Amino acid sequence: MKKSIILSCVLAVALVGTLFSLPKVVVNNKGKDVDTERSQSAAAASATETAAEPSSKSHDGAALSPDQQKVVDQLRSGFNQAGDKDKVAAGIKLSDEFEKLQKFDSAAFYAEKVALLSPADENLMRAGDRYYEAYGFAVDEQKSKNLGAKTREYYQKAIDQNPGLLAAKANMAMTYVNTENPMQGIMMLREVIDADPTNELALFNLGILSMRSNQYSKAADRFRQILTNNPANTKAKFYLGVSLVELGDKEQASKVLSEVKKEEKDPAIQQAIGELEGRLGN
C-alpha cells in the first residue's frame, strides 16, 4: 500500500470523534500518544530560523528518552551547522527522526525548512505530508486550522509544479472538511476520481466522508470499489465492516469483520472489532 494511503488510513482511524465524527468504536488509541505541540505561525519561517520550533514542553505524548533526545540534539546541531550544500539532507534526516518519534509538528517544521531551501516536488510533498499528519492529530481547534492551512499551502505549491500529483489533491481535500467551504474538498476528491477512477486514496476519503454524514450505503460502495482492485487493503475492509454494521447487515458485517480480524494486526482495530462483534451479538 502506498505511503499516502497508509497515512490516510492512520488519520482516518485516529480522527474519529474529531475531524470525521465517526462511531466511537473506531477510535485509535495511538492518538493519545502523539504530540500536541504548539501551533505554528501561519507565516512561513525562514530557512535558518530555529526560534519557532515547536517546544518539547508542550508535548502531551510520552517524553523522549535520554537516548532519543541525544539523537535529536545531534541531528538538530548537524542541521544548524550544515553548509548550504548539506543542509537539505540534514533537514530531511531531522524531520524523518521526529516523524519516527511521533513528534509530528517538529517533523513538519523541518520538512518545511527543507522545502524552503529546495522547493522540488518531493520536498514540497514531504512538507505537505508532514503537516497533514500533524493536522490529523491536532486536538485544539485553532491549531487544527493553522496546520490545515500549512498543509494546503505546501500541497498547492507541489500541485502548481506538477498537476499530476493526485495524492496531494486527495489529502488537501480532507483539510477543507471543517472549514467554511467543505464542499470544496468534496469537489477536489471527485476531480481525482475523474482523473483516476480507481484512486484508492480518493475513494477511501470519500468513503470516510460518507460515513461522517451517515451515508453508510455510499460509504460501503466506496470501500468495495477499493477492495475490488486491492483485496489486501484491510483498512478499507474494516470500514466496510463498520458501514455494514451501521446498515444492519449483520451477516455480511460479521463475515467482513472476521476476515479483518485474521488479517489486521493493529491492536486498536482488533479492539474495535471486538466491540463491533458485541453489537452484532445483541
Side-chain angles (χ1 to χ4, degrees):
M1 196 184 304
K2 294 181 179 179
K3 183 177 180 181
S4 58
I5 296 174
I6 295 173
L7 173 59
S8 183
C9 293
V10 171
L11 292 175
V13 177
L15 291 179
V16 173
T18 54
L19 177 59
F20 299 127
S21 300
L22 295 183
K24 185 177 180 181
V25 68
V26 292
V27 173
N28 184 339
N29 292 328
K30 287 182 180 178
K32 299 177 182 177
D33 298 327
V34 300
D35 62 50
T36 54
E37 302 162 307
R38 291 183 313 199
S39 300
Q40 298 300 303
S41 166
S46 71
T48 58
E49 183 182 8
T50 60
E53 180 183 351
S55 170
S56 61
K57 294 180 180 179
S58 62
H59 296 171
D60 268 356
L64 297 181
S65 70
D67 287 344
Q68 291 171 332
Q69 188 64 57
K70 182 179 179 180
V71 171
V72 166
D73 289 344
Q74 289 175 340
L75 290 173
R76 185 188 289 110
S77 177
F79 173 76
N80 290 335
Q81 296 175 20
D84 293 343
K85 183 178 179 180
D86 301 319
K87 209 168 188 68
V88 168
I92 292 172
K93 286 183 180 179
L94 182 53
S95 177
D96 287 349
E97 184 66 21
F98 274 123
E99 184 189 38
K100 184 176 74 174
L101 296 171
Q102 295 189 329
K103 303 303 179 186
F104 299 118
D105 290 12
S106 292
F109 177 82
Y110 285 102
E112 178 178 24
K113 284 185 173 293
V114 169
L116 291 171
L117 286 165
S118 176
D121 289 358
E122 62 180 335
N123 294 334
L124 293 170
M125 280 295 295
R126 183 186 298 105
D129 286 344
R130 301 267 158 102
Y131 271 118
Y132 183 54
E133 195 166 26
Y135 163 78
F137 288 109
V139 177
D140 178 77
E141 182 178 356
Q142 187 57 52
K143 176 179 178 178
S144 178
K145 288 181 179 179
N146 292 343
L147 292 173
K150 279 290 191 182
T151 300
R152 291 190 290 274
E153 175 186 348
Y154 281 96
Y155 277 148
Q156 188 59 58
K157 287 180 178 180
I159 292 169
D160 288 344
Q161 292 186 181
N162 184 353
L165 292 172
L166 298 182
K169 187 173 288 189
N171 281 345
M172 184 164 66
M174 298 303 281
T175 69
Y176 283 104
V177 173
N178 280 357
T179 68
E180 63 280 359
N181 190 16
M183 280 306 299
Q184 186 169 349
I186 301 294
M187 295 303 296
M188 290 181 70
L189 289 172
R190 289 175 178 169
E191 289 174 6
V192 174
I193 294 298
D194 287 342
D196 178 11
T198 63
N199 188 283
E200 286 189 36
L201 185 55
L203 288 170
F204 187 90
N205 287 348
L206 284 169
I208 292 296
L209 293 179
S210 293
M211 293 180 76
R212 180 178 183 263
S213 58
N214 297 321
Q215 299 180 76
Y216 292 104
S217 181
K218 285 187 177 181
D221 287 343
R222 296 297 188 185
F223 298 130
R224 286 192 183 100
Q225 284 180 270
I226 294 173
L227 293 167
T228 296
N229 297 296
N230 182 11
N233 190 325
T234 54
K235 296 299 189 297
K237 189 177 292 187
F238 169 71
Y239 279 110
L240 172 60
V242 174
S243 298
L244 291 171
V245 170
E246 296 298 330
L247 289 169
D249 190 342
K250 292 187 176 183
E251 182 178 351
Q252 283 300 311
S254 180
K255 178 182 177 182
V256 170
L257 292 173
S258 177
E259 292 176 2
V260 179
K261 196 172 185 177
K262 295 176 183 177
E263 299 166 359
E264 177 61 58
K265 304 302 181 183
D266 188 331
I269 296 293
Q270 290 291 336
Q271 179 182 350
I273 291 173
E275 295 182 28
L276 288 165
E277 288 177 334
R279 287 179 59 184
L280 291 172
N282 293 333

